[in-house]
Amino acid sequence: MSKKNDQPISRKKFMQELRRYERGSVTRRHFLGVTGLGVATAVMGAAVPGLLPRKSWAATDIGDRVILATWPNYHDPANFEKFTEMTGAHVQVNVFGSNEEMLAKLQAGGSGWDVFVPTNYTITTYVGEDLIEPLELSKINNFEASAFDPRFSDAGTVNGTVYAVPKNWGTTGYVVNTKHTGGKQLTTWKEFWDITKTDFTGRTMVHDYQLTTIGNALKYFGYSFNSVDPNELADAEKLLIEVKPHLYAINSDYQPPLRNGDAWMSMCWTGDGKQLNTDMPEMQYVLGKEGGEIWSDYYAVPKSAPHRDAGYALIDFLLDPAVNAKEVLAHGYPVADSRTNELLPKELLEDPILYPAQELLDALEFGAAATLTDPNRAELLARFKSA
Amino acid sequence: MLSADTDAVVSFRNVTKRYGDVTAAAHLDLDVTAGEFLSFLGPSGCGKTTSLRMIAGFDQPSEGEVFLEGQRVNGVPAYRRPVNMVFQHYALFPHLNIEENVAYGLKQRAPKPPSKEIEMRVGEMLELVQLSGFNKRRIWEMSGGQQQRVALARALINKPKVLLLDEPLAALDRKLRREMQIELQNLQRNVGITFVLVTHDQEEALSMSDRVCIMREGKIVQIGSPLDLYDRPINRYVADFVGKSNFFDGAIDRIDTTAVNVKLDCGLMIKANTGPDLESFESGDPVCISVRPEQVILARKEEQLPADCGVKIKARVMNRIFLGEHTEYLLRDEKLGEFLVLSPRQNERSERPFDKDEVVLAAWSRDTALVLSSE
Amino acid sequence: MYGSWANRLLLVPATVWLLVMLVLPLLVVIIFSFGERGTAGGYVPAFTLEQYANLSARFTAFKNTLLLAPTGTFLCLLVAYPLAYFLAVKVHPKWKTLLLVMIIVPFWTSILIRTYAWIFILGGQGLPKVLGFLGIEGVRLINTPTAVLIGIVYAYLPLMVFPVYVSLEKLDKRLLEAASDLGSSPIEAFRNVTLPLSIPGVATGCMLVFILLMGEFLIPALLGGGKVFFIGNALVDLFLQSRNWAYGSAVAATLVIIMLVTVSIYMKLVVRNQQ
């Protein structure tokens, strides 16, 4: 049985992968974006809410449903069941692949969402486009601003008005299978790109996502992750085109090929790094010394929310520290809420993947709104992919 | 190894064809002589088409041997045999025009003749079937009769040793069929090619063929000229298939040197001449008497009948059908039951025709009554 | 009078469907293609030819599509024709239905899941590993144009098999006997009779596969590892990632025009050959 990893994929493993896929629980964000199937909808709770008994003890009647647009593998289903039990509202979850896709859907109108989960750098755009409403904080008693690390809650406030409250935060680094580096520890983005062109040729994956793929290529030259400077972008493009033939894939669904050994290294988010490292200790999560991305996700309410009260009730419920702690235990992304952290086990709070060393964190940058909407970066990625 | 008759174009020697458990043809022996027009005649399922397909090479015999011009051709595929076929529904190539259809066989030859020659031969063939000028037409622009001619031209262009025709006229209407029968006969005389035709239509077989091979349940019952088959059928099946006849069942009572006495089931005793085929009969064998309707003579008075009548009975006219030169009567006798009589008009000239319900005298001469095994 | 009135009534659903599902969206795409992108993405009304002027930025995607779509169609035909021929001509009628159903059965599962299965088959632990056991080392399949072509042939096979099968099935077997009778060996009979008479089925199959391949994005994304970029992938990115609706519309409109031109040329050729 020791040779198990060398066997072709087993039937059981295949079914697991397939199920995992069918549940929509692929790696956060991008798989669905890549396939254009971001509309994949998982219905939590009952399919036909009206047929189930309603709890009548809820303080106010918030209706029988609330629709949440979020990322895959980013909640504890048990919490949703509890919410339904308490309020009578069933949580319907729409899973998305990218911030761009969420924005596209809200811009197109008629999304039907009550609550959604934008990332820090998108919020000013939503405000500018008049797509989200200032939050009625009186309806979110569990949001206690002082309990949150301002680094991860600031972006929710635009021009002094709170539009979004923090959910989780994390980093974007890369994961490398150290079995193939001869035990060598990688520490920089320069090494990431250089080894791809040599020892790791055909084994590296980058995101199908302009923000991180271009941002981390910019880091090779020491430029800002968020740069929109044409000369700097031209350097990044040259690097990307040069590296492309050596890539295993441009795909944000990187866990399966990393697990079965086809790929050895990939750009990676905190939670995936943690999951891979837990199952395969040789998988090391690296934050490039030059920097890279740090991000924070938020809850916000679209202007068009059809079940507004239920949306607020859901945010309030999920920010309850006891509920939030359960969420963290389920998905493995850190929170910025000190009240929640008090409830979490010490090992988790000391985990170097979730909570990297301060000097590594200091080098990271939050994505900027201008980076997200920059048409030149979008075109650069298209040229890279079609090269 | 059985050898073939050297004069024969096609020879079957003890040929049997089985499809799984079904025997389509059993122990066939046959020689088709060069230049003759031979028809296989029989109802569907009698093995006539199977026989044709074994000549063409689409089917191979399970047992026995097939010879073409003295050469054993068992196992030789259709495309290597010097025979061609006119298919039942013509099977013309819909994606080719008339000229291309006709030229197909020539173009398949190795070496391929020069295109000038092909053009010339196609022209000849179209002229032969009176379709000159139709070269570029499409199949679906042609009438059934025209398609028939195209099929003939296509099959004849390679000058086959034998032309096989599988129910070639079945799809045509009656009038056109008559015309085509005559044309086919003329064509055969003109080109001098051996024709083997399959049909279920006895009139077609009798009118066109030099010889007819009557088949039943996979076996050859009788081969002979149309006249032979009509006058000297070997059994009731042939007599019934070739022309119309009245049959009266009975058994052999006594065989004299000059005559056979048959006792019919109804009790009547009938005398008939002995024939060469009667040697195998013994007293008590079940037989039938066959009398052709035109051989029955009708009269109002006994003295109008010939002297050597084998049978003289009184019968009632049940029905009368006027057929122009003939009149067909249906008569009924208490004992014999119903039987048909075909009476020529000149016999009736002296008197008026027999009326319905009139009781008349019916008779036939001893020579004309055939004693047949009742198979 | 009554007849024509009833005929018109019968045409209403189809007309409404075409208007709402085809003409209107196409009009929207054409109008958008002359507009501009908003600063945060989306569409700003304008009248400019800027988007069309910029089409060359997707030249590679168009080129890839115009290369891989015909190649994929041809490979599909190469695999489908013998299969259809076998089903229509060689298989005992008793087994036909079963085999036809077996071709359809995979369609009961989502194309997404089936393509995902190919990721495993073509991945390092799949076919290349089997080849490794046979002594052929170092074969890379997944995330290559070859993998995309394999996926395309697999996914589009039934679309090609069925029209070809139908044309071969209705082929009168006596025509082959006639050809044989006139001196054609089985191979010659196939070339002179079967092949030309199955051309309508082949044409239909090729048309179906080619048109759908022009818009294909899923298979290149999944089996090409994002490295094989069709115009369909460019459109997905333009609408869902960079949200450049105006440019996306111009690219989509151009794709429609290319398809119309290709299809009409193709139809002309096929129709002429049928005359």
Side-chain angles (χ1 to χ4, degrees):
Chain A
M1 294 313 276
S2 61
K3 286 199 67 185
K4 203 176 171 190
N5 279 341
D6 295 326
Q7 300 298 318
I9 186 162
S10 69
R11 190 166 157 269
K12 196 176 154 218
K13 179 92 189 321
F14 176 79
M15 288 315 290
Q16 280 171 354
E17 295 286 1
L18 204 59
R19 294 253 163 68
R20 183 172 153 270
Y21 165 76
E22 282 175 314
R23 285 198 306 267
S25 64
V26 285
T27 322
R28 185 170 173 217
R29 289 178 179 165
H30 284 264
F31 174 69
L32 297 170
V34 152
T35 57
L37 291 166
V39 285
T41 299
V43 178
M44 307 296 296
V48 191
L51 294 178
L52 289 176
R54 283 269 296 274
K55 297 288 179 190
S56 53
W57 49 261
T60 49
D61 191 358
I62 59 166
D64 63 356
R65 76 183 67 190
V66 55
I67 295 162
L68 169 68
T70 183
W71 313 103
N73 262 358
Y74 212 23
H75 294 279
D76 182 356
N79 278 334
F80 291 145
E81 280 163 31
K82 182 103 179 294
F83 179 75
T84 306
E85 205 173 282
M86 283 170 60
T87 64
H90 293 271
V91 184
Q92 197 173 315
V93 179
N94 288 5
V95 178
F96 273 79
S98 74
N99 273 298
E100 283 86 337
E101 203 181 323
M102 276 190 181
L103 177 54
K105 183 108 189 200
L106 272 183
Q107 275 178 327
S111 69
W113 307 336
D114 301 310
V115 181
F116 74 112
V117 183
T119 304
N120 54 286
Y121 50 81
T122 64
I123 292 168
T124 53
T125 305
Y126 284 117
V127 173
E129 296 277 300
D130 203 22
L131 293 168
I132 58 176
E133 62 171 49
L135 291 179
E136 258 184 77
L137 293 176
S138 62
K139 289 187 170 180
I140 315 175
N141 290 323
N142 283 321
F143 176 63
E144 197 185 307
S146 60
F148 287 84
D149 183 340
R151 238 170 101 93
F152 305 115
S153 62
D154 276 358
T157 306
V158 180
N159 300 329
T161 309
V162 178
Y163 282 92
V165 290
K167 176 168 159 38
N168 295 91
W169 65 275
T171 57
T172 311
Y174 59 92
V175 69
V176 55
N177 189 331
T178 51
K179 260 198 337 198
H180 300 291
T181 61
K184 191 175 167 239
Q185 300 289 318
L186 303 187
T187 55
T188 65
W189 282 111
K190 188 159 190 322
E191 285 171 306
F192 175 90
W193 295 110
D194 283 340
I195 200 173
T196 296
K197 290 188 274 184
T198 55
D199 296 352
F200 273 38
T201 182
R203 300 294 185 181
T204 301
M205 294 179 76
V206 299
H207 291 162
D208 180 10
Y209 188 48
Q210 62 97 344
L211 190 85
T212 45
T213 293
I214 296 175
N216 292 326
L218 286 162
K219 279 289 138 193
Y220 183 92
F221 304 97
Y223 304 142
S224 164
F225 179 84
N226 284 309
S227 175
V228 291
D229 178 277
N231 294 326
E232 294 178 4
L233 287 176
D235 286 341
E237 179 169 0
K238 209 172 142 238
L239 173 68
L240 287 171
I241 305 274
E242 186 192 344
V243 164
K244 193 187 173 192
H246 299 284
L247 292 176
Y248 173 76
I250 303 164
N251 191 336
S252 309
D253 184 25
Y254 45 84
Q255 279 211 34
L258 284 168
R259 284 178 186 274
N260 72 24
D262 281 358
W264 297 346
M265 184 165 73
S266 175
M267 288 182 189
C268 177
W269 287 288
T270 305
D272 294 304
K274 178 66 188 155
Q275 287 165 28
L276 283 162
N277 179 259
T278 304
D279 298 342
M280 303 165 75
E282 69 272 24
M283 290 290 185
Q284 299 225 328
Y285 183 71
V286 180
L287 282 179
K289 271 190 189 150
E290 304 97 324
E293 190 198 12
I294 186 167
W295 49 265
S296 182
D297 283 344
Y298 291 78
Y299 291 116
V301 176
K303 280 223 157 156
S304 52
H307 319 96
R308 202 168 156 273
D309 288 341
Y312 276 99
L314 180 66
I315 295 175
D316 193 39
F317 171 78
L318 290 170
L319 287 183
D320 180 328
V323 174
N324 207 352
K326 279 194 204 155
E327 294 273 296
V328 175
L329 290 172
H331 59 55
Y333 284 95
V335 288
D337 179 3
S338 58
R339 299 167 304 167
T340 303
N341 283 339
E342 276 165 29
L343 302 173
L344 291 170
K346 200 159 160 279
E347 317 84 82
L348 197 71
L349 294 173
E350 286 173 357
D351 189 285
I353 295 177
L354 270 70
Y355 300 91
Q358 195 58 45
E359 75 270 17
L360 287 171
L361 282 181
D362 287 345
L364 301 176
E365 294 170 76
F366 278 102
T371 317
L372 173 77
T373 54
D374 182 42
N376 293 329
R377 287 184 66 134
E379 284 301 292
L380 198 166
L381 193 81
R383 287 195 296 275
F384 164 58
K385 285 171 75 178
S386 63
Chain B
M1 199 213 251
L2 298 157
S3 63
D5 182 340
T6 42
D7 288 345
V9 182
V10 179
S11 298
F12 278 11
R13 289 289 174 271
N14 198 28
V15 167
T16 297
K17 176 67 186 173
R18 279 185 288 268
Y19 298 101
D21 295 337
V22 182
T23 303
H27 309 295
L28 305 184
D29 279 298
L30 172 75
D31 287 301
V32 183
T33 27
E36 81 169 320
F37 193 139
L38 180 122
S39 297
F40 286 106
L41 175 66
S44 62
C46 72
K48 58 187 191 297
T49 299
T50 303
S51 303
L52 198 75
R53 292 175 60 85
M54 284 192 288
I55 301 172
F58 300 133
D59 286 328
Q60 301 293 344
S62 311
E63 283 168 28
E65 288 168 304
V66 178
F67 296 88
L68 281 177
E69 291 196 313
Q71 296 280 318
R72 186 173 180 273
V73 292
N74 287 41
V76 176
Y79 62 92
R80 296 225 178 92
R81 293 192 184 192
V83 299
N84 287 114
M85 183 140 156
V86 174
F87 290 81
Q88 187 169 3
H89 297 283
Y90 320 134
L92 297 173
F93 302 122
H95 57 298
L96 303 180
N97 64 25
I98 301 312
E99 178 180 83
E100 290 162 337
N101 263 282
V102 175
Y104 190 95
L106 266 190
K107 287 182 181 168
Q108 290 303 298
R109 284 197 158 176
K112 195 170 125 180
S115 51
K116 268 252 153 56
E117 191 191 327
I118 294 179
E119 202 184 316
M120 197 189 73
R121 292 278 300 280
V122 169
E124 283 171 16
M125 279 302 136
L126 289 178
E127 200 176 330
L128 182 71
V129 297
Q130 300 160 41
L131 280 179
S132 297
F134 286 77
N135 302 44
K136 304 289 178 196
R137 291 278 186 101
R138 312 296 306 190
I139 299 303
W140 58 83
E141 296 168 336
M142 310 288 275
S143 71
Q146 288 171 324
Q147 291 188 23
Q148 165 73 72
R149 290 160 203 253
V150 176
L152 272 167
R154 185 180 70 171
L156 285 170
I157 198 161
N158 267 350
K159 297 182 179 148
K161 303 295 177 203
V162 184
L163 182 76
L164 307 172
L165 302 109
D166 185 7
E167 303 267 9
L169 309 177
L172 303 179
D173 64 53
R174 195 180 164 77
K175 187 165 171 286
L176 201 54
R177 201 153 63 210
R178 276 299 179 93
E179 286 172 24
M180 282 307 291
Q181 282 173 12
I182 294 161
E183 245 178 75
L184 269 181
Q185 269 185 296
N186 289 337
L187 192 68
Q188 200 248 346
R189 267 173 227 135
N190 291 341
V191 295
I193 290 173
T194 313
F195 278 29
V196 176
L197 176 119
V198 155
T199 181
H200 66 274
D201 182 339
Q202 52 118 345
E203 187 193 305
E204 190 171 299
L206 297 180
S207 63
M208 290 195 289
S209 319
D210 298 321
R211 281 197 302 157
V212 177
C213 173
I214 297 195
M215 296 192 69
R216 182 193 191 187
E217 289 166 6
K219 292 185 184 121
I220 294 173
V221 183
Q222 189 174 1
I223 306 177
S225 68
L227 203 67
D228 275 349
L229 296 173
Y230 193 83
D231 288 344
R232 283 184 290 282
I234 64 157
N235 57 21
R236 176 175 178 164
Y237 179 79
V238 175
D240 196 18
F241 216 91
V242 180
K244 281 181 185 170
S245 198
N246 298 302
F247 298 104
F248 308 106
D249 294 320
I252 299 218
D253 183 62
R254 191 163 42 82
I255 302 175
D256 299 338
T257 45
T258 52
V260 185
N261 293 301
V262 176
K263 186 172 186 186
L264 296 184
D265 295 347
C266 59
L268 267 175
M269 192 70 87
I270 287 180
K271 250 189 205 320
N273 278 1
T274 48
D277 302 328
L278 287 174
E279 286 160 3
S280 53
F281 288 118
E282 284 176 23
S283 298
D285 281 355
V287 290
C288 72
I289 300 283
S290 165
V291 183
R292 299 283 183 196
E294 70 273 17
Q295 287 164 335
V296 183
I297 301 153
L298 298 183
R300 288 202 171 84
K301 294 173 192 148
E302 192 150 355
E303 55 269 27
Q304 291 170 326
L305 293 172
D308 66 334
C309 284
V311 167
K312 251 180 266 174
I313 45 173
K314 278 185 178 170
R316 184 183 294 272
V317 176
M318 304 301 290
N319 200 8
R320 185 183 72 185
I321 301 169
F322 178 65
L323 292 176
E325 71 273 37
H326 285 88
T327 308
E328 186 182 280
Y329 294 96
L330 179 67
L331 281 90
R332 184 177 172 80
D333 170 71
E334 288 298 310
K335 288 181 173 172
L336 282 173
E338 291 185 343
F339 58 96
L340 278 176
V341 177
L342 204 58
S343 187
R345 288 295 303 278
Q346 67 264 31
N347 286 12
E348 293 165 358
R349 238 176 249 150
S350 53
E351 299 184 44
R352 62 192 166 81
F354 305 103
D355 293 323
K356 190 165 182 289
D357 287 332
E358 193 179 345
V359 176
V360 296
L361 284 167
W364 58 79
S365 86
R366 227 162 79 170
D367 304 343
T368 56
L370 290 168
V371 180
L372 300 172
S373 79
S374 46
E375 264 175 49
Chain C
M1 286 304 280
Y2 172 80
S4 78
W5 183 79
N7 282 345
R8 271 177 214 165
L9 202 63
L10 281 173
L11 284 174
V12 168
T15 312
V16 170
W17 172 266
L18 277 175
L19 272 177
V20 175
M21 304 306 261
L22 187 74
V23 177
L24 276 181
L26 207 60
L27 273 176
V28 170
V29 166
I30 289 166
I31 291 168
F32 273 32
S33 72
F34 293 107
E36 280 170 354
R37 179 187 193 264
T39 38
Y43 163 71
V44 175
F47 186 82
T48 168
L49 295 172
E50 194 189 318
Q51 312 303 341
Y52 286 98
N54 196 26
L55 274 179
S56 60
R58 290 296 179 279
F59 175 75
T60 337
F62 274 116
K63 193 189 77 187
N64 288 346
T65 307
L66 286 171
L67 270 174
L68 277 169
T71 313
T73 307
F74 179 71
L75 288 177
C76 223
L77 178 64
L78 225 54
V79 176
Y81 199 101
L83 181 60
Y85 183 81
F86 177 77
L87 280 171
V89 180
K90 298 287 176 193
V91 169
H92 191 278
K94 193 166 62 175
W95 299 108
K96 249 179 208 176
T97 319
L98 182 74
L99 288 169
L100 285 173
V101 167
M102 278 171 72
I103 289 176
I104 303 169
V105 161
F107 266 49
W108 296 348
T109 312
S110 149
I111 175 71
L112 206 53
I113 291 173
R114 284 180 290 135
T115 308
Y116 206 78
W118 276 98
I119 294 180
F120 296 104
I121 297 171
L122 299 175
Q125 302 300 307
L127 210 55
K129 187 137 198 163
V130 177
L131 291 172
F133 287 133
L134 301 171
I136 306 160
E137 300 279 355
V139 174
R140 284 282 180 86
L141 286 173
I142 190 72
N143 302 343
T144 62
T146 311
V148 174
L149 284 175
I150 292 174
I152 281 170
V153 169
Y154 166 78
Y156 288 92
L157 195 62
L159 279 180
M160 187 69 92
V161 167
F162 281 101
V164 177
Y165 169 81
V166 169
S167 69
L168 288 170
E169 166 82 337
K170 68 178 183 199
L171 181 96
D172 189 345
K173 302 274 155 40
R174 281 170 318 186
L175 294 179
L176 294 178
E177 289 192 341
S180 175
D181 184 66
L182 293 164
S184 294
S185 67
I187 291 169
E188 288 168 329
F190 174 82
R191 201 185 57 215
N192 295 337
V193 178
T194 310
L195 202 56
L197 286 174
S198 63
I199 289 296
V202 170
T204 308
C206 285
M207 187 59 71
L208 278 175
V209 171
F210 181 79
I211 288 175
L212 289 174
L213 268 183
M214 290 286 281
E216 177 63 50
F217 66 93
L218 186 75
I219 297 170
L222 289 184
L223 300 180
K227 296 198 295 175
V228 182
F229 202 64
F230 277 25
I231 204 67
N233 303 87
L235 286 171
V236 169
D237 280 2
L238 279 172
F239 281 97
L240 293 182
Q241 300 295 333
S242 44
R243 300 170 321 290
N244 195 340
W245 295 5
Y247 186 46
S249 297
V251 171
T254 309
L255 178 65
V256 171
I257 290 165
I258 290 178
M259 276 205 242
L260 283 177
V261 170
T262 329
V263 167
S264 48
I265 291 172
Y266 183 81
M267 290 294 259
K268 265 213 172 99
L269 285 177
V270 168
V271 168
R272 200 172 56 194
N273 277 344
Q274 287 303 294
Q275 287 307 315

